[in-house]
Amino acid sequence: MKSSKATDKEWTFLETVARAAFANPFGETRDDLDIAISGAAPDSSADEILHAVVTRIEVKLQSLRDRGVADLRNLDGHRREVMRRVCLFHVFHRYVDHFDELIKTQLKEGDKHCRVPFARHVLGELTAFGIGDQDAVRMFAVFYQLRRAFYFIKNGLVGTSPSMKTLRRHLWDCVFTHDIRWFEAGLWDKMEEFSILLLGETGTGKGAAAAAIGRSGFIPFDVARNAFTESFTRNFVSINLSQYSEGVLESELFGHKKGAFTGAVDNHEGLFSRCAPHGVIFLDEIGDVSIPVQIKLLQVLQERIFFPVGSHEARRFSGRIVAATNRSLDEMLESGKFRDDLYYRLCSDVITLPPLRVRLKEDPQELDNLLGVLLSRLAGEMPGREKHLVKRILKRDLGRHYAWPGNVRELEQAIKRIILTGRYQGMKREEPKQDAAARLAQEIVEGAMNAEELLSAYCSSLYASFGTYEEVARRTRLDRRTVKKYVEMGKVSPSLDGRGTLFGNCSIQTGRCLES
């Protein structure tokens, strides 16, 4: 007999929880839903709000279970789906600490399979709510994936600036899509079809972003072995394409057959052969590879097959590709140095990582946060005075407006040099004659620009900061071709004071994706 004993007010609460269950944890929507569920004050800490959320849901669910409403076998349609999400949310958060410990244990054990002692408890709780055995096993694997994604995105890409918050939300969507209902309904084992292209200056953290995606892939759970079928440490493999000659690179990527060339005394398994099912290969410096290698990479992406050097036997690749470059792909595409068809196979999504100078401009507290994290990674927990000492030396030696051309990687090395020598001189580069943003602001105040010139200057300024037409289009809500037109206009139009282009001398990294 079907039961519907919950009140309208209770169903409203459950629907709010169901929306939170599928919301991006790095997004503002999830923050608002958590406050609504918990009833906590908006200025409460994140831990306090989450504790209140979990407690309140547990109390509500227990009341509903006592009345038979929380049993999915007694519900159908929309209400069954709402209750299912609430049950999943509840069980997942009951075992968050267990998943965190499993992640840390797996990091220590490396490629070794780790047993999951709490698995049967989770599966038992899921089936008690009326979730089928097979569905429960799959959702247990999704739980582990959700927690890994949160763990590696949160800890691998720190920062409180708006651009870093946007980056973390973006990475989460790359793992679970922008609407996790699509992922949960059928894309959970098809994400290898979605290749990702990471753009950004040297040292911005493209490797960390790739690792966060790579370690967050779906890994099935084997009930008989009481373990996941693969270690997430083995699920992510990377290669810097710029460090190999063309012949050696093909062997490293695709492997080779014994006798394929002088020195090939044994068969060699390449990177694509070693990649686990649902795994991720990170191709760093994709802009440095030759056209022949690009053609072979295109074949892998299009047909999902490759051939070891010296072999006619096709091998299948079932993993996901994440690629990165600090080069201007727009320029390489226009000059024919990078194939358009390969680009369009790579850019299911294009993510531009923000340079450190942009992050510091957006949030002055960003430097303090980064210093704390980097010092902790380097030397463990240290008293706050060490962080303040490093910050004081940086301010003394570099001034307040240092551009950090090496980005976060340079900041990390600066900390090490300060620890060793007590000083850091930085990269000495010629300063621009006039700050472009300040000049633009002055011209706006003076009314010296018409609407078209203003839009051109604004688009050019954003392009100089973020490096891609796509990001400028997103921020201005213009289409990509319109943005490109105004940026190109800014490059050739003389500034009002007659000293050349307003933004023409900016050093930028660019990217391109499908045009509307």
Side-chain angles (χ1 to χ4, degrees):
M1 182 180 296
K2 294 180 181 179
S3 174
S4 182
K5 299 178 183 177
T7 66
D8 290 343
K9 184 177 180 180
E10 286 174 322
W11 277 114
T12 299
F13 174 81
L14 294 173
E15 287 175 347
T16 303
V17 175
R19 289 199 300 274
F22 278 10
N24 188 321
F26 298 105
E28 294 179 357
T29 299
R30 173 60 190 271
D31 293 339
D32 293 340
L33 290 170
D34 280 351
I35 291 173
I37 294 168
S38 67
D43 59 350
S44 301
S45 70
D47 289 341
E48 290 173 337
I49 292 173
L50 182 59
H51 177 74
V53 166
V54 172
T55 301
R56 194 172 183 200
I57 292 174
E58 188 168 359
V59 171
K60 290 283 187 183
L61 264 183
Q62 187 57 54
S63 173
L64 294 169
R65 293 183 81 173
D66 292 342
R67 289 141 56 198
V69 181
D71 191 331
L72 299 178
R73 289 161 292 203
N74 295 331
L75 297 169
D76 57 15
H78 173 69
R79 290 195 166 183
R80 185 184 189 282
E81 180 56 27
V82 168
M83 186 64 73
R84 178 178 177 273
R85 295 185 202 170
V86 173
C87 295
L88 293 174
F89 187 94
H90 165 68
V91 175
F92 171 75
H93 282 90
R94 277 176 48 78
Y95 290 91
V96 160
D97 292 341
H98 293 75
F99 282 116
D100 286 349
E101 286 302 314
L102 178 60
I103 292 168
K104 293 173 184 176
T105 301
Q106 190 66 75
L107 284 170
K108 293 178 182 177
E109 296 293 339
D111 294 350
K112 177 183 175 182
H113 291 281
C114 294
R115 293 179 62 82
V116 188
F118 61 95
R120 64 183 183 87
H121 299 290
V122 178
L123 295 174
E125 291 196 28
L126 290 173
T127 55
F129 279 110
I131 294 175
D133 291 345
Q134 187 174 353
D135 193 21
V137 173
R138 180 174 65 86
M139 289 312 304
F140 182 60
V142 172
F143 284 175
Y144 186 40
Q145 183 182 9
L146 287 166
R147 197 57 189 174
R148 280 183 284 120
F150 184 82
Y151 183 93
F152 290 114
I153 293 174
K154 178 176 182 289
N155 296 319
L157 296 133
V158 299
T160 56
S161 63
S163 57
M164 287 304 292
K165 291 178 181 178
T166 298
L167 174 61
R168 287 192 289 271
R169 289 197 299 271
H170 204 160
L171 290 174
W172 181 270
D173 289 344
C174 284
V175 177
F176 297 108
T177 78
H178 83 282
D179 187 341
I180 201 171
R181 289 175 297 182
W182 295 359
F183 175 86
E184 203 264 340
L187 290 176
W188 54 274
D189 66 344
K190 299 179 178 64
M191 294 304 293
E192 64 272 9
E193 298 295 332
F194 299 85
S195 300
I196 306 297
L197 185 58
L198 303 174
L199 304 177
E201 299 175 10
T202 297
T204 49
K206 297 186 291 295
I213 297 172
R215 291 177 168 181
S216 303
F218 180 84
I219 304 174
F221 181 71
D222 186 336
V223 177
R225 296 175 58 191
N226 195 33
F228 288 95
T229 58
E230 196 63 75
S231 165
F232 63 76
T233 62
R234 187 176 177 273
N235 250 36
F236 174 69
V237 289
S238 64
I239 184 172
N240 187 317
L241 303 176
S242 66
Q243 71 184 60
Y244 297 99
S245 64
E246 183 174 321
V248 175
L249 178 58
E250 290 191 31
S251 178
E252 287 299 311
L253 289 173
F254 311 113
H256 64 248
K257 187 178 179 182
K258 180 180 178 180
F261 51 84
T262 303
V265 295
D266 289 301
N267 291 332
H268 174 65
E269 293 292 316
L271 201 64
F272 285 102
S273 294
R274 299 197 304 270
C275 184
H278 304 293
V280 170
I281 290 180
F282 176 41
L283 303 178
D284 198 9
E285 305 299 349
I286 188 75
D288 289 3
V289 298
S290 66
I291 294 297
V293 175
Q294 290 181 36
I295 293 172
K296 292 190 175 184
L297 288 173
L298 178 63
Q299 183 180 39
V300 176
L301 287 165
Q302 285 184 157
E303 303 173 22
R304 288 281 158 184
I305 61 170
F306 64 94
F307 295 87
V309 178
S311 172
H312 297 290
E313 180 185 351
R315 301 280 188 90
R316 179 156 184 82
F317 172 63
S318 58
R320 188 179 191 183
I321 297 275
V322 176
T325 183
N326 61 7
R327 291 175 174 262
S328 170
L329 281 186
D330 272 337
E331 294 177 4
M332 295 185 71
L333 288 162
E334 290 175 6
S335 66
K337 294 179 180 178
F338 199 86
R339 293 177 60 95
D340 287 77
D341 46 8
L342 175 59
Y343 173 79
Y344 289 120
R345 282 289 179 180
L346 286 172
C347 72
S348 298
D349 197 7
V350 178
I351 301 177
T352 302
L353 278 80
L356 181 56
R357 62 182 177 276
V358 170
R359 296 168 59 179
L360 297 179
K361 186 181 295 185
E362 290 178 342
D363 182 5
Q365 192 65 30
E366 190 85 336
L367 183 60
D368 281 344
N369 296 330
L370 286 170
L371 287 176
V373 171
L374 293 174
L375 280 168
S376 294
R377 289 179 182 173
L378 186 62
E381 293 300 324
M382 299 178 69
R385 63 177 178 271
E386 274 78 9
K387 182 176 76 172
H388 295 305
L389 175 61
V390 171
K391 184 179 180 182
R392 187 164 66 248
I393 293 173
L394 289 174
K395 184 177 180 181
R396 180 197 70 193
D397 292 350
L398 302 177
R400 297 179 60 186
H401 303 294
Y402 182 63
W404 292 105
N407 294 292
V408 178
R409 186 179 298 152
E410 182 187 358
L411 176 59
E412 185 174 8
Q413 294 304 319
I415 293 171
K416 293 178 180 179
R417 194 174 303 178
I418 288 171
I419 291 174
L420 293 175
T421 69
R423 61 185 182 276
Y424 182 70
Q425 297 305 314
M427 297 288 291
K428 300 299 181 183
R429 297 195 176 184
E430 183 181 350
E431 293 292 329
K433 293 181 179 179
Q434 184 178 4
D435 181 83
R439 180 156 27 125
L440 173 59
Q442 183 63 31
E443 290 173 348
I444 292 173
V445 170
E446 295 173 354
M449 307 177 75
N450 61 35
E452 191 168 56
E453 290 170 341
L454 178 60
L455 188 53
S456 174
Y458 181 51
C459 288
S460 298
S461 177
L462 291 174
Y463 187 71
S465 295
F466 299 101
T468 66
Y469 297 126
E470 289 77 23
E471 182 62 13
V472 179
R474 187 186 71 79
R475 290 173 178 265
T476 59
R477 298 184 182 178
L478 298 171
D479 67 69
R480 181 186 180 279
R481 285 170 290 187
T482 301
V483 164
K484 186 174 181 180
K485 180 189 77 171
Y486 282 118
V487 171
E488 293 297 323
M489 183 187 302
K491 291 179 180 179
V492 299
S493 300
S495 63
L496 295 177
D497 61 6
R499 287 179 288 179
T501 61
L502 189 60
F503 298 99
N505 295 326
C506 293
S507 175
I508 51 179
Q509 303 294 335
T510 62
R512 166 200 288 193
C513 199
L514 293 170
E515 298 195 22
S516 57

